[in-house]
Amino acid sequence: MEIVKTQAQGDLSTDKAPEAKLAQSPLAIRGLTVSYGEKPAVFSVDMTVEPGQMTAIIGPNGAGKSTLLKAALGIVAPVSGRVTIFGRSLAEQRARIAYVPQRASVDWDFPTRVIDVVLMGLYRELGLLGWIKGAHRAKALDCLERVGMGDFATRQIGQLSGGQQQRVFLARALAQGADLYLLDEPFAGVDAATEKAIISVLKSLREAGKTVVVVHHDLATVAEYFDNVFLINTRRVAEGPVSEAFTEETLQAAYGGRLATSQIDKLAKA
Amino acid sequence: MSGEEFVPLSLTPMLIGIFAAVACALPGNFLLLRRQALIGDAISHVVLPGIVFAFLMTGVIATWPMMLGAAGAAIVAVVMIEAIRRLGRIEPGAAMGVVFTTMFAGGVLLLEQSDTSAVHLDVEHALYGNLESLIWLDATGWSSLLDPEALRYLPTELPRMALTLLGVCLFTALFWRALKISTFDEGFARTMGIRTNLLGLGLVITAAVAAVAAFDAVGSIIVIAMFICPPAAARMMTNRLEAQIAWSVLFAVLSAVLGYVLAGFGPLWLGGGDAVSAAGMIATVSGVILAITARFGPCRGRSGVPATV
């Protein structure tokens, strides 16, 4: 019964946004609820990502940021809700999506080299049995160059620093050649040089008309890096351009007592 | 040794040993990297209730019903392990531990309660198999390999194990790329549309089929050892999955050949009398190979080879 109810809510909220806008949006989410056990991690969330812009998903720890992204990508199954990618279902649009998981989500001791990880971004293109040709390798190397990792192609991935591993993941996403890039905490625990390299790649993607959505944890850089924010704390708190949605009220609502008022003041003014 | 002696007495057990070792080592590579290597141990325990059940249904000790029973039990166990892992949100090792001890114990109870006193359900057979007895007495030498009359009397375990190995190879080759990416990065694999749940289940069922076929021919000791030792030793030799697979096959073959020869002739060379269990020796050799690679292998460090390479 629960499920039916939330589904109905999701459908109601669909009516609020004009259909045309939904069809254009690289990622539109309606009435999404995801639960690990009893307590929902994401509850009845609507989200409409603006095309050709950079959007940050922010919120306190455990607010459902990563879960929202994973549900949008079909990695975790939602209890209810609807996700459209450029107006169509996820299954139809997989080729237009690139994903960068959290660095800590994989085992970096896995026996593989840097270039092999980037080649994984081409697996959709290659299919089950397609042969890896020189052109594929050249493309993978080019993606590594773009993140400043060209010299590391034949290294075992376990030998890289955290920042270097993150750049390899970004290179793999570039190899996917997508229109929508979804990144889960790409700046977590990386060095300053890596952060700079990643943001410059993301900005070049935006210049090329791509859409970038980033789960982000550093409130201090939100205004500098992003066009839009999506604040979440299990439910949607605010969504819109940084100047409108990233304010004292919305931060207070999302983080509650977890941020000192003085911190929020400073961020909102920045 | 001349072909006249080697072909009838040693060729078939050696080949069966090699096929069984490789069939277990191949899926073992992925299971190891997925932290599921214990599945071999689990399967070799859960086949007991399957075999007893098959005996109770048919009333005879025959290969096919028992293998079907064993395979059925293995698949039931695999599904239960997956269900417990997902519903209980616990690590796979714990789910396996719960399922295989319960099913093994259930098998013992079933065996005890049913009237199997008239027949001999041999526990030792289950452990060591009967590799040495899988001889080909109709062969007279290498020429028998081309003699259809002699070939008719090949031990049935040989074609069965060869077919199993072929199936395992096909699965590995066909799903190579999907297995590689979903083992390394399951979330990413799903965004590409790979059904990682189904693939994981397919891998474990492939392992179960290999384990049951090998169990029938060579006993559970080899099964348990081959799922873990050759792949683990191979991991110490290389930092590339492709090379790791090749090394694991090499180590599996080496264990089977060396183990078989050492079991047959080792005691004689040492001045002793009888040969020792081939299955036990093969498993021991694989363990020694693992120990040697763990000490001297070039890639045994957690973070791979030295940064200069």
Side-chain angles (χ1 to χ4, degrees):
Chain A
M1 286 315 281
E2 251 333 277
I3 296 171
V4 176
K5 232 194 275 172
T6 40
Q7 196 98 50
Q9 279 172 6
D11 288 339
L12 276 178
S13 49
T14 310
D15 302 335
K16 288 182 213 154
E19 280 299 322
K21 200 181 169 196
L22 260 188
Q24 280 169 16
S25 173
L27 170 62
I29 294 170
R30 291 293 174 267
L32 187 79
T33 296
V34 187
S35 174
Y36 301 118
E38 300 283 297
K39 200 168 161 276
V42 168
F43 187 75
S44 192
V45 164
D46 292 358
M47 181 184 192
T48 311
V49 171
E50 294 291 331
Q53 300 196 355
M54 281 172 64
T55 302
I57 299 176
I58 55 178
N61 288 334
K65 304 187 290 289
S66 292
T67 303
L68 178 67
L69 207 61
K70 285 181 185 161
L73 284 158
I75 297 171
V76 297
V79 176
S80 65
R82 202 156 60 93
V83 175
T84 55
I85 310 286
F86 295 104
R88 299 167 77 171
S89 78
L90 175 67
E92 292 171 284
Q93 301 281 43
R94 287 194 195 282
R96 299 180 72 180
I97 304 171
Y99 171 51
V100 177
Q102 280 185 23
R103 185 163 50 86
S105 69
V106 306
D107 174 13
W108 289 92
D109 197 36
F110 191 83
T112 196
R113 301 173 309 174
V114 166
I115 185 100
D116 299 319
V117 172
V118 181
L119 283 167
M120 288 177 189
L122 298 171
Y123 276 10
R124 268 194 74 80
E125 215 172 289
L126 286 163
L128 216 53
L129 297 167
W131 216 247
I132 294 175
K133 298 195 189 81
H136 297 120
R137 277 179 217 287
K139 189 173 177 187
L141 260 177
D142 178 54
C143 294
L144 276 173
E145 297 284 355
R146 283 168 70 186
V147 299
M149 289 289 291
D151 296 337
F152 293 83
T154 56
R155 288 280 187 91
Q156 203 268 330
I157 53 172
Q159 298 170 1
L160 305 179
S161 72
Q164 291 169 332
Q165 290 171 345
Q166 192 67 60
R167 288 196 234 177
V168 173
F169 262 11
L170 182 60
R172 180 176 68 175
L174 292 176
Q176 290 184 281
D179 297 317
L180 169 63
Y181 290 77
L182 302 166
L183 298 86
D184 199 347
E185 300 263 13
F187 304 114
V190 303
D191 52 286
T194 297
E195 180 150 344
K196 244 176 110 180
I198 293 176
I199 201 72
S200 110
V201 168
L202 295 183
K203 284 185 170 158
S204 74
L205 286 173
R206 178 179 57 187
E207 271 157 35
K210 314 291 187 186
T211 305
V212 179
V213 178
V214 178
V215 171
H216 195 54
H217 68 288
D218 183 9
L219 295 178
T221 51
V222 168
E224 184 189 339
Y225 291 167
F226 297 97
D227 309 308
N228 301 308
V229 286
F230 183 90
L231 265 86
I232 181 172
N233 191 351
T234 307
R235 295 158 190 267
R236 181 179 76 172
V237 174
E239 180 180 23
V242 171
S243 58
E244 292 167 25
F246 193 66
T247 65
E248 196 181 328
E249 291 84 45
T250 58
L251 283 169
Q252 197 65 261
Y255 286 81
R258 273 172 277 203
L259 280 184
T261 316
S262 61
Q263 269 178 300
I264 292 182
D265 267 357
K266 215 169 83 192
L267 287 169
K269 275 175 198 145
Chain B
M1 200 196 302
S2 70
E4 270 167 55
E5 258 183 78
F6 177 77
V7 174
L9 295 180
S10 294
L11 179 67
T12 46
M14 248 184 192
L15 280 178
I16 291 167
I18 290 171
F19 291 167
V22 176
C24 291
L26 275 178
N29 281 289
F30 291 103
L31 294 172
L32 187 82
L33 293 169
R34 288 167 174 242
R35 313 259 183 275
Q36 292 183 347
L38 260 182
I39 202 93
D41 209 336
I43 291 164
S44 50
H45 279 82
V46 303
V47 294
L48 180 69
I51 286 173
V52 178
F53 189 74
F55 168 73
L56 290 177
M57 297 300 285
T58 59
V60 290
I61 301 269
T63 304
W64 280 110
M66 288 204 171
M67 280 193 72
L68 284 177
I75 288 167
V76 167
V78 162
V79 172
M80 273 169 70
I81 289 168
E82 278 297 302
I84 291 176
R85 190 168 77 82
R86 287 181 192 283
L87 298 176
R89 295 178 199 290
I90 56 172
E91 56 138 344
M96 285 176 211
V98 170
V99 170
F100 85 67
T101 46
T102 309
M103 285 185 70
F104 185 64
V108 171
L109 275 183
L110 203 60
L111 190 60
E112 193 192 63
Q113 291 301 313
S114 58
D115 181 26
T116 51
S117 53
V119 295
H120 190 46
L121 269 179
D122 195 341
V123 174
E124 273 171 33
H125 175 109
L127 215 50
Y128 314 138
N130 56 346
L131 193 52
E132 293 90 337
S133 69
L134 301 175
I135 48 179
W136 184 24
L137 284 176
D138 300 85
T140 51
W142 289 107
S143 58
S144 299
L145 285 174
L146 300 171
D147 176 6
E149 189 59 28
L151 282 173
R152 275 177 56 198
Y153 297 99
L154 264 179
T156 53
E157 283 83 354
L158 185 63
R160 199 186 298 143
M161 207 59 241
L163 210 64
T164 307
L165 177 59
L166 185 71
V168 169
C169 288
L170 273 178
F171 175 81
T172 311
L174 207 57
F175 295 105
W176 169 256
R177 205 160 273 158
L179 279 168
K180 181 176 172 180
I181 188 152
S182 67
T183 302
F184 173 58
D185 192 342
E186 186 175 3
F188 187 78
R190 280 202 200 183
T191 65
M192 298 190 127
I194 295 170
R195 302 181 66 180
T196 54
N197 290 356
L198 271 182
L199 188 66
L201 199 64
L203 172 66
V204 175
I205 288 175
T206 304
V209 169
V212 169
F215 167 84
D216 173 59
V218 299
S220 60
I221 289 183
I222 291 190
V223 172
I224 297 170
M226 288 305 143
F227 270 119
I228 299 178
C229 291
R235 179 66 189 89
M236 311 284 178
M237 299 302 293
T238 174
N239 276 324
R240 291 196 69 196
L241 186 58
E242 291 78 3
Q244 182 189 318
I245 302 280
W247 276 107
S248 74
V249 170
L250 180 77
F251 285 145
V253 172
L254 193 67
S255 304
V257 173
L258 208 60
Y260 186 81
V261 172
L262 282 179
F265 304 102
L268 288 177
W269 296 337
L270 292 173
D274 298 329
V276 296
S277 153
M281 188 56 89
I282 290 172
T284 306
V285 169
S286 75
V288 170
I289 291 174
L290 174 57
I292 293 171
T293 55
R295 178 65 190 84
F296 301 107
C299 302
R300 62 201 174 88
R302 273 292 293 180
S303 57
V305 293
T308 49
V309 175

